[in-house]
Amino acid sequence: GQQVMQIPQYQHVQEGEDFTTYCNSSTTLSNIQWYKQRPGGHPVFLIQLVKSGEVKKQKRLTFQFGEAKKNSSLHITATQTTDVGTYFCAGQFEASGSARQLTFGSGTQLTVLP
Amino acid sequence: KAGVTQTPRYLIKTRGQQVTLSCSPISGHRSVSWYQQTPGQGLQFLFEYFSETQRNKGNFPGRFSGRQFSNSRSEMNVSTLELGDSALYLCASSLSVTGELFFGEGSRLTVL
């Protein structure tokens, strides 16, 4: 079936270090969304990328969508303890047409050490 | 504006029983999706409803079913519960079928 692979599964960083998580799909995505889930919480929407090669920034967070629309990344500059949580990408495959079936990556659990 | 409300938040059932979970979407949102979250399998898509119609269904057995009412509220039902059904069940609503998802706090189901 259609899958979105996400790496790494876990990442421990010292506060102030950078962090990157990557998502890859074997087939073309129509769009990709990113969510953050704090420990004990629910996923919260961060951003949606639609265009090939798109780059969007939110303060210290930079999101990229690959030229082939098969991969995406989230980069956090100078992590803070508030960045702790699990980051998920969620891809919608072009073949799904008008129906929504967001396929979530397995998530990257980020720990920030003070 | 009230967020997505899911009830009950926690429940414990035994194998063979059935369970019904409820979700009230954000006012004005007509799309409701359900996801199962487990440590081993991550977030898996169950189904999506839009204007009372099931538009898409994930790869789950027929024991998992759902419906949406005219006021956009949705319910999902799991019959003949198995131990493996223990999970956090998340409901999400959105304005459109391509827009961002707003998740509820989830219903944590434990099957003994």
Side-chain angles (χ1 to χ4, degrees), chain B residues 77-95:
Chain B
N77 183 276
V78 187
S79 62
T80 320
L81 285 166
E82 300 177 359
L83 295 179
D85 297 332
S86 295
L88 180 66
Y89 290 88
L90 291 160
C91 167
S93 74
S94 66
L95 267 175

Side-chain angles (χ1 to χ4, degrees), chain B residues 6-21:
Chain B
Q6 291 188 245
T7 57
R9 290 289 312 280
Y10 303 91
L11 63 166
I12 300 174
K13 294 284 187 179
T14 56
R15 280 182 299 174
Q17 287 187 310
Q18 73 164 15
V19 67
T20 299
L21 308 178

Side-chain angles (χ1 to χ4, degrees), chain A residues 23-95:
Chain A
C23 281
N24 286 285
S25 167
S26 58
T27 55
T28 305
L29 300 169
S30 61
N31 67 74
I32 193 160
Q33 298 179 5
W34 285 90
Y35 292 81
K36 175 184 178 182
Q37 185 172 20
R38 293 182 186 273
H42 58 278
V44 174
F45 175 82
L46 293 175
I47 209 159
Q48 176 171 283
L49 305 171
V50 179
K51 299 177 184 176
S52 168
E54 189 169 16
V55 178
K56 286 188 176 180
K57 293 190 176 184
Q58 289 179 349
K59 296 183 180 178
R60 295 178 294 105
L61 278 61
T62 302
F63 304 84
Q64 292 188 327
F65 201 9
E67 293 291 339
K69 298 181 73 173
K70 291 183 178 181
N71 61 286
S72 181
S73 65
L74 157 60
H75 180 83
I76 302 178
T77 303
T79 54
Q80 300 175 357
T81 53
T82 53
D83 295 326
V84 164
T86 301
Y87 293 84
F88 293 95
C89 61
Q92 178 153 355
F93 293 94
E94 287 193 339

Side-chain angles (χ1 to χ4, degrees), chain A residues 35 37 42 48 98 100-101, chain B residues 37 55 94 96 98-99 101 104:
Chain A
Y35 292 81
Q37 185 172 20
H42 58 278
Q48 176 171 283
S98 60
R100 179 211 299 275
Q101 182 165 344
Chain B
Q37 186 173 32
R55 292 171 58 88
S94 66
S96 70
T98 57
L101 295 176

